[in-house]
Amino acid sequence: MSPRALDPVVRLARRAVERARRHWGAFGELWRRSLQLRVVVSTLALSSAVVFVLVMVLQVQITDQLLQTKTDAAIRQANASAAVIQPDLSGLNPGPDSVKARFTTALNKINSSGQEAASSGAGAFEPVLADAALVGTDGQTNAVGPYVDVPEGLRKLVEGGHAGTQISTVDRETGPTTFLAVGLPVNSSARPMQLYLLFPLTGEQATAEVVQQTLVVGGLVLLLLLAVIANLVTRQVVRPVRQAAEIAERFAEGSLDERMPVVGEDDVARLAESYNEMAASIQRQIHQLEEFGQLQRRFTSDVSHELRTPLTTVRMAADVLHASREQFPAGLARSTELLVDELDRFESLLGDLLEISRLDAGVEELAAEVVDVRVLARRAHDAVRAIATSSGSAIVMDLPDHEVTAELDARRVERILRNLLANAVDHGEGLPVELTLRSDGEAVAVTVRDHGVGLRPGEADLVFNRFWRADPSRNRRTGGTGLGLSISLEDARLHGGWLQAWGERGYGAVFRLTLPCRRGHELAHSPLPLEPPDLPAVEAESEPEPAVEEVEPAEQEFAWQPAEPVDGEREEVR
């Protein structure tokens, strides 16, 4: 057969395999998700094993009992037949012709007692009389009846002077027939003769088949009933659990008034009562937290607004003093400069607090528009250029030659990039800061990398906490408020994007901003890796840095320390 002729067969086989794989996968999913299916199938499996063992035991017991009854009746019939023919064999002449004549007469007597045999329970039989010591002219044993159907083992047993029984199957014209052969020696004047009675087991076999069919049908019906019962019982247990799961899902989605119905006083009812009490307790706590959060946000907003008026007055007075600082002594002039610097930082802090309060309140909205992200990156670079120059850090821009457009809020994204660049300059130790922009049509990513001290293990998850600082003893160069990265993270979340951090001691830190190109699109990947691809391989002989325990920010980490005055713009830093 040619390979081309085999193609349809191969395709059909592949379709069958694929269909079987889909069905198996669907069944596996249903098996994992359905407790009712697992209980019913497990019950059926165990019940099948029990029913199979029970059917086998009953069948063996019934068959053995039928055979034992048949054997006992056959032995009684054989003894009775031997007693009937015993007088005819007493004066037996040992010649061949006389033996056959006497055997024929004896068998006629046995056959004439057929009515008695039927009433005894042994059933019909075929008698055989043989003289194993006498061989005829044809070389065969001198016997009357179907001697060839007598099993060889039974012949030897009876010829040795012992009675016995044996079951064997012989081929007849009507087909294979199973017989129960009973043999016993019969004494004569010359020597012992052998009497065999062949009882067909056709009736017993039919009875055994009927019993087997009855047991199989009964077992199947029993399994079906067990499956129905297991399904009903399991459903009574699973249905409240499913209702509880549905109610719990709606509760988790925000329907805090959802409760389970309480019916009766059983275990399910107690579960429903416990769940309802738990849900009521959680609802009260959530309401308390919401009220507390609203009070906290209102307090922050009110304080921030209320502080603006006295801060404006103090700012006006500080500007007047700062403008006249050349007329003051050196110490007073320095105090005036510090006062202006701290007022600038205080104003930034108030602005950040107001922004945080609006973000916490969920009232911020995106003014999304399609913009070129390269333009926002250049604006952020221009905003921190003075800070980078004073710190000695060069900002290296790696931007694509073509437009990188995305639907986003330009003000917020520019603020994120400005915060990341200022943060990198502040921790870059005077080394270059790299900004990389890439897009794949689905998402746009910006990474900002510095080559400074880096981060210890576990600190990458803490850098976005409010007022958190990696090293509390380190003075900020840019005089930031400690809220820049927190606000940047919230701005990224408003866009449906990611803001992630990576850092390692001695290799600097990387911050990656990933935003969807279209508003509402769910991110699945980022065009840029978070970990730098150019990291050197770790040397085998280098000593591992001792592990640093992740601890909650200490009280001193939240302390605001006076910043050193610098020229240029003051941006938000870590």
Side-chain angles (χ1 to χ4, degrees):
M1 186 177 293
S2 63
R4 185 172 298 176
L6 290 175
D7 288 343
V9 179
V10 174
R11 287 196 296 270
L12 288 175
R14 289 179 178 174
R15 290 197 196 100
V17 172
E18 185 64 26
R19 191 179 300 109
R21 185 181 293 112
R22 287 197 301 267
H23 289 329
W24 179 255
F27 178 77
E29 181 69 18
L30 182 61
W31 177 267
R32 290 190 298 271
R33 297 177 62 87
S34 177
L35 175 62
Q36 184 175 358
L37 176 63
R38 292 200 300 271
V39 172
V40 172
V41 172
S42 301
T43 303
L44 279 180
L46 296 175
S47 301
S48 300
V50 173
V51 170
F52 176 77
V53 173
L54 182 61
V55 168
M56 293 300 296
V57 170
L58 289 176
Q59 182 179 355
V60 170
Q61 291 291 334
I62 294 174
T63 303
D64 290 345
Q65 188 65 31
L66 287 174
L67 187 58
Q68 185 64 38
T69 303
K70 183 72 172 181
T71 302
D72 294 341
I75 292 175
R76 289 194 301 269
Q77 180 62 43
N79 293 327
S81 299
V84 170
I85 65 174
Q86 183 68 44
D88 296 334
L89 299 180
S90 297
L92 180 64
N93 188 354
D97 296 334
S98 61
V99 168
K100 278 200 172 185
R102 288 292 183 93
F103 281 0
T104 303
T105 303
L107 290 184
N108 290 332
K109 283 188 175 183
I110 294 176
N111 290 328
S112 64
S113 60
Q115 183 68 29
E116 182 182 352
S119 62
S120 64
F125 59 88
E126 297 180 13
V128 178
L129 270 173
D131 184 5
L134 184 62
V135 179
T137 57
D138 56 356
Q140 301 293 328
T141 302
N142 193 10
V144 177
Y147 182 72
V148 294
D149 294 340
V150 178
E152 185 68 26
L154 183 60
R155 294 180 190 177
K156 295 180 179 180
L157 181 65
V158 177
E159 290 171 4
H162 302 285
T165 61
Q166 186 175 348
I167 297 176
S168 63
T169 301
V170 297
D171 292 329
R172 295 289 181 88
E173 294 180 358
T174 58
T177 305
T178 303
F179 287 95
L180 171 63
V182 180
L184 71 163
V186 179
N187 295 324
S188 66
S189 59
R191 54 185 171 272
M193 304 298 170
Q194 295 82 39
L195 172 64
Y196 303 98
L197 299 183
L198 302 179
F199 295 88
L201 297 178
T202 306
E204 286 70 20
Q205 287 180 330
T207 303
E209 291 178 358
V210 171
V211 170
Q212 183 180 8
Q213 294 175 0
T214 303
L215 290 176
V216 171
V217 173
L220 294 177
V221 173
L222 179 60
L223 288 178
L224 181 60
L225 293 176
L226 287 175
V228 174
I229 294 172
N231 186 48
L232 293 176
V233 173
T234 308
R235 187 175 181 181
Q236 291 180 356
V237 178
V238 172
R239 183 169 55 185
V241 176
R242 290 176 179 172
Q243 292 178 352
E246 294 174 357
I247 293 174
E249 289 177 358
R250 292 195 295 269
F251 186 87
E253 291 173 356
S255 301
L256 301 181
D257 296 328
E258 289 288 341
R259 297 293 185 271
M260 288 183 61
V262 179
V263 180
E265 299 179 357
D266 54 7
D267 296 335
V268 177
R270 289 197 295 271
L271 173 63
E273 293 176 354
S274 301
Y275 174 84
N276 294 340
E277 293 176 359
M278 179 190 68
S281 176
I282 293 176
Q283 185 179 17
R284 289 193 299 270
Q285 295 179 14
I286 290 176
H287 287 162
Q288 292 176 358
L289 291 175
E290 288 178 349
E291 294 175 357
F292 176 75
Q294 292 175 359
L295 291 174
Q296 187 180 28
R297 289 191 295 270
R298 188 181 301 115
F299 173 77
T300 303
S301 179
D302 293 345
V303 168
S304 301
H305 280 94
E306 292 298 328
L307 286 177
R308 283 194 173 276
T309 300
L311 179 61
T312 302
T313 304
V314 175
R315 162 64 70 181
M316 294 174 58
D319 289 342
V320 172
L321 294 176
H322 188 267
S324 305
R325 66 183 183 282
E326 296 180 354
Q327 303 176 6
F328 299 153
L332 185 57
R334 177 60 178 167
S335 300
T336 304
E337 294 175 354
L338 292 176
L339 177 61
V340 172
D341 292 338
E342 291 304 314
L343 284 175
D344 291 340
R345 183 168 178 271
F346 194 23
E347 285 182 341
S348 299
L349 179 60
L350 281 180
D352 290 347
L353 287 175
L354 286 173
E355 186 71 19
I356 285 290
S357 64
R358 286 192 293 268
L359 290 171
D360 290 342
V363 297
E364 289 288 358
E365 294 183 358
L366 288 178
E369 57 181 344
V370 178
V371 298
D372 187 356
V373 185
R374 297 181 305 167
V375 176
L376 304 181
R378 293 190 184 101
R379 290 179 186 172
H381 169 265
D382 296 339
V384 299
R385 182 184 301 169
I387 302 174
T389 301
S390 63
S391 301
S393 296
I395 299 178
V396 181
M397 306 277 287
D398 183 4
L399 305 179
D401 297 332
H402 55 82
E403 286 188 352
V404 180
T405 58
E407 187 180 2
L408 44 82
D409 190 330
R411 179 182 67 87
R412 294 182 183 277
V413 174
E414 181 183 347
R415 180 170 61 188
I416 295 174
L417 298 179
R418 189 169 63 247
N419 285 334
L420 296 181
L421 287 174
N423 180 75
V425 169
D426 188 38
H427 295 82
E429 302 293 334
L431 298 175
V433 174
E434 303 169 3
L435 184 147
T436 305
L437 172 64
R438 292 291 184 272
S439 175
D440 59 1
E442 297 291 335
V444 57
V446 181
T447 60
V448 177
R449 180 184 181 185
D450 65 72
H451 298 271
V453 295
L455 297 172
R456 290 189 293 266
E459 291 184 345
D461 298 329
L462 300 176
V463 293
F464 300 105
N465 291 348
R466 301 173 185 180
F467 303 114
W468 185 84
R469 297 179 63 185
D471 187 1
S473 63
R474 176 186 176 91
N475 289 328
R476 293 188 175 97
R477 291 191 178 95
T478 58
T481 63
L483 295 174
L485 290 181
S486 300
I487 296 176
S488 299
L489 179 62
E490 296 299 330
D491 286 338
R493 288 175 177 172
L494 281 177
H495 286 83
W498 305 331
L499 183 57
Q500 300 161 300
W502 172 91
E504 188 172 333
R505 280 296 184 179
Y507 298 102
V510 177
F511 287 81
R512 182 180 68 181
L513 172 66
T514 308
L515 301 174
C517 292
R518 298 181 301 277
R519 185 177 181 181
H521 177 70
E522 185 176 354
L523 289 178
H525 66 283
S526 179
L528 288 173
L530 179 60
E531 184 174 343
D534 57 348
L535 289 178
V538 180
E539 297 181 1
E541 299 179 357
S542 61
E543 295 183 1
E545 186 176 351
V548 179
E549 268 188 50
E550 296 184 16
V551 296
E552 294 293 330
E555 183 179 357
Q556 62 269 22
E557 294 180 354
F558 293 102
W560 297 330
Q561 302 185 8
E564 297 179 358
V566 296
D567 296 331
E569 301 183 15
R570 297 169 172 83
E571 299 297 330
E572 301 157 323
V573 295
R574 168 179 358 174

